[in-house]
Amino acid sequence: PCKRPPRLQYDDWTCPNRRCGNICFARRTKCNLCGTEKPRDWTPAHLQQEEGQLHIGDVEWGRQKRIRVMATKDVYKDLEVPEGHCRVVWLIPTKTLPIVKGRGLHEIKQKSGVHTLLVTREVECDTYFDVEYVQAFCIGSPACTKSAVSMIHNEASGRLSEEGFHELIDAIEEALPRVEDEFNEGFVALSLMELLNQQKIREAWGKTKVLRQGTGL
């Protein structure tokens, strides 16, 4: 029998032909092994695996081998970033994604010169402040990623992800004095220069130099 993949993505589907059982990428409309059409009503392969529904002939694979489900964003995070390049993650609202999806992303990649431009699937969207977003991963020189995110923003709006800035954000939040009284709750505002006078923040700021150049910050 054919081998099962070590990991699945959320919208991969299983060929309904019981003698095949191939796991197909979401983009496929037919099984690439036996040619069986993708069914109209289908269950994601990872859910079928959990329910013990994957079959090849008389073998029920769901009970014999665990398959790890991988989100595309986790796969993209593992992509190699060449020296001198940076990885910028831009959040695109799902409502405006059709504007840049497909050919639009290809043109942005060509014009900006980024090495990689990949977008997570809508089934994996994240929600921030009641708005659903997919993630666009841009890898390239700082000048190229800056150009790419600028074009994406102009076409589909969105916002910069905190990816790559977590250490800096944590250092700033730790340093900012808190205000908690009956009228206010939050942080005291400090200027950038005041924040950079603190060593921990200054060190974290320095580590984001290439990423800041790549986002235009």
Side-chain angles (χ1 to χ4, degrees):
C2 63
K3 294 182 179 180
R4 311 306 295 172
R7 63 189 184 189
L8 300 175
Q9 294 180 353
Y10 286 107
D11 48 359
D12 291 343
W13 56 281
T14 305
C15 175
N17 181 351
R18 291 176 64 90
R19 293 190 174 276
C20 177
N22 181 45
I23 291 181
C24 308
F25 292 132
R27 67 176 183 272
R28 299 191 187 281
T29 57
K30 295 182 179 180
C31 173
N32 58 305
L33 292 185
C34 71
T36 300
E37 296 277 350
K38 180 179 180 179
R40 288 187 177 182
D41 298 321
W42 57 280
T43 301
H46 73 280
L47 293 181
Q48 286 188 321
Q49 191 274 337
E50 290 172 3
E51 296 166 4
Q53 295 178 358
L54 290 183
H55 295 267
I56 297 181
D58 296 325
V59 179
E60 194 173 90
W61 283 87
R63 293 179 183 171
Q64 299 205 12
K65 182 177 180 180
R66 287 195 64 81
I67 301 177
R68 187 160 58 102
V69 181
M70 289 287 291
T72 51
K73 61 184 177 183
D74 294 329
V75 176
Y76 295 163
K77 284 179 181 178
D78 291 336
L79 293 174
E80 182 180 355
V81 180
E83 186 175 355
H85 286 51
C86 62
R87 176 177 56 223
V88 177
V89 181
W90 187 264
L91 303 177
I92 304 176
T94 55
K95 289 184 177 180
T96 58
L97 178 61
I99 299 174
V100 295
K101 197 172 183 180
R103 183 179 178 184
L105 287 173
H106 178 72
E107 291 179 353
I108 290 173
K109 181 181 178 182
Q110 292 293 106
K111 291 179 180 178
S112 66
V114 291
H115 179 268
T116 301
L117 178 55
L118 298 168
V119 176
T120 56
R121 304 173 184 185
E122 291 175 72
V123 71
E124 300 172 33
C125 67
D126 296 310
T127 302
Y128 301 95
F129 305 105
D130 297 323
V131 178
E132 292 185 340
Y133 297 92
V134 294
Q135 298 182 12
F137 286 76
C138 306
I139 299 176
S141 68
C144 292
T145 58
K146 179 181 177 181
S147 176
V149 297
S150 175
M151 284 188 273
I152 294 173
H153 178 260
N154 290 338
E155 292 290 332
S157 72
R159 54 183 291 177
L160 180 64
S161 167
E162 294 179 357
E163 178 74 24
F165 293 100
H166 292 300
E167 183 178 345
L168 178 60
I169 293 171
D170 290 343
I172 291 174
E173 289 185 348
E174 183 180 323
L176 287 176
R178 290 193 65 88
V179 174
E180 293 185 16
D181 57 36
E182 58 181 313
F183 301 107
N184 299 290
E185 181 176 349
F187 296 103
V188 174
L190 296 178
S191 69
L192 178 60
M193 293 308 299
E194 289 175 310
L195 289 170
L196 291 177
N197 283 332
Q198 302 192 40
Q199 183 178 353
K200 189 172 182 179
I201 295 177
R202 190 164 59 249
E203 291 174 353
W205 177 262
K207 293 177 182 178
T208 63
K209 179 180 179 180
V210 176
L211 185 54
R212 285 186 284 108
Q213 292 173 343
T215 56
L217 295 177

